[in-house]
Amino acid sequence: LNFDDENIQIIEKNGRRLTAFDRSVLNSVCSRFEAGNLTFTPDQIYRTMNGLTEREFVSAESKARIIESIDKMRMLEVKIDYTEEATKMYKKPHTDRLNKYVISSYLLALSKVELITSNGAVQGYKLLEKPIIYTYSQHNNQIISVPITLLNTKNYLRTTPDVTVIREYLIRRIAVMKNDKTKSNKILFEKVYDELSLIDP
């Protein structure tokens, strides 16, 4: 998804802000939604983020990081200015001109479920509505689709939050280069550092 659109405003709450890792988690939630899944577990999101099969082990640390990210996005509000799009569809007389059209919602509108079975505790989520940024990105053709196999780098390097962020950034940049020949074909280390929020790498 494109998070850099000037019409998208994500409101920080209690010092919590959306990170590049959170965006990867949100992209995975949207991928599962697109595949017809309204419910999911943290394990499933981790596997989707990393192009893994449903059988591969997910560490407690990785699971906790996904839960922290999802729970944060359940609390963050996003506002999207749809004025330009709505104006094109608004067919009222010229005297009744539309001046503003803003939609706001939670970044992820989810209900959370915790179960305890004979195999232990299981935590899951259910989407209550399509993620608002996903709807906006679809409406404006701002989605890049890539084969899930590109996300699986386990044979080359260990998956860490930083590797996840760098991998997704590179995929996004390369996809833009392929689709828009006017864009530079150089990827700057500085931009990668920015994605990782490294001030003095």
Side-chain angles (χ1 to χ4, degrees):
L1 305 180
N2 177 21
F3 294 86
D4 301 323
D5 190 297
E6 61 183 11
N7 292 324
I8 298 173
Q9 179 191 8
I10 297 168
I11 299 162
E12 293 185 19
K13 186 176 183 182
N14 301 327
R16 293 177 173 176
R17 62 179 189 86
L18 191 74
T19 66
F21 182 80
D22 298 327
R23 293 195 309 255
S24 296
V25 171
L26 182 55
N27 282 336
S28 298
V29 170
C30 293
S31 293
R32 295 195 70 85
F33 173 83
E34 188 63 30
N37 300 298
L38 293 178
T39 59
F40 55 85
T41 64
D43 300 53
Q44 290 171 324
I45 294 303
Y46 178 84
R47 292 184 184 113
T48 302
M49 284 173 70
N50 295 292
L52 303 175
T53 69
E54 290 297 315
R55 295 193 186 106
E56 287 168 290
F57 173 75
V58 179
S59 71
E61 182 186 1
S62 297
K63 203 181 303 186
R65 196 174 287 116
I66 299 290
I67 291 168
E68 181 184 356
S69 175
I70 290 173
D71 286 349
K72 180 206 302 184
M73 288 189 282
R74 291 175 66 218
M75 302 300 161
L76 289 178
E77 183 185 2
V78 59
K79 290 184 178 180
I80 300 183
D81 189 337
Y82 263 101
T83 307
E84 187 179 329
E85 292 83 358
T87 302
K88 291 174 185 170
M89 297 185 297
Y90 197 64
K91 305 289 187 185
K92 290 284 184 183
H94 202 61
T95 53
D96 191 18
R97 190 169 166 270
L98 178 67
N99 293 319
K100 187 175 182 181
Y101 189 91
V102 176
I103 296 176
S104 96
S105 181
Y106 288 107
L107 203 51
L108 274 176
L110 300 168
S111 56
K112 184 175 182 177
V113 179
E114 294 184 46
L115 303 172
I116 297 179
T117 69
S118 55
N119 293 326
V122 179
Q123 185 167 297
Y125 299 90
K126 181 177 181 181
L127 269 171
L128 302 176
E129 63 182 45
K130 186 175 180 178
I132 185 171
I133 288 185
Y134 184 40
T135 302
Y136 181 77
S137 296
Q138 275 188 320
H139 187 87
N140 290 295
N141 297 316
Q142 294 177 334
I143 295 177
I144 296 168
S145 295
V146 296
I148 198 165
T149 52
L150 289 180
L151 303 177
N152 188 339
T153 54
K154 67 175 185 169
N155 293 333
Y156 308 100
L157 70 169
R158 188 171 154 265
T159 299
T160 65
D162 285 353
V163 166
T164 300
V165 168
I166 293 169
R167 183 182 57 216
E168 192 164 293
Y169 174 72
L170 293 175
I171 288 171
R172 191 167 70 242
R173 281 288 292 121
I174 292 166
V176 167
M177 289 177 201
K178 287 170 67 176
N179 293 322
D180 186 348
K181 302 299 182 194
T182 64
K183 297 289 183 186
S184 169
N185 65 349
K186 292 181 174 64
I187 297 175
L188 304 177
F189 282 118
E190 182 184 354
K191 297 294 185 183
V192 176
Y193 300 149
D194 287 347
E195 285 291 303
L196 295 170
S197 299
L198 296 177
I199 295 166
D200 187 18

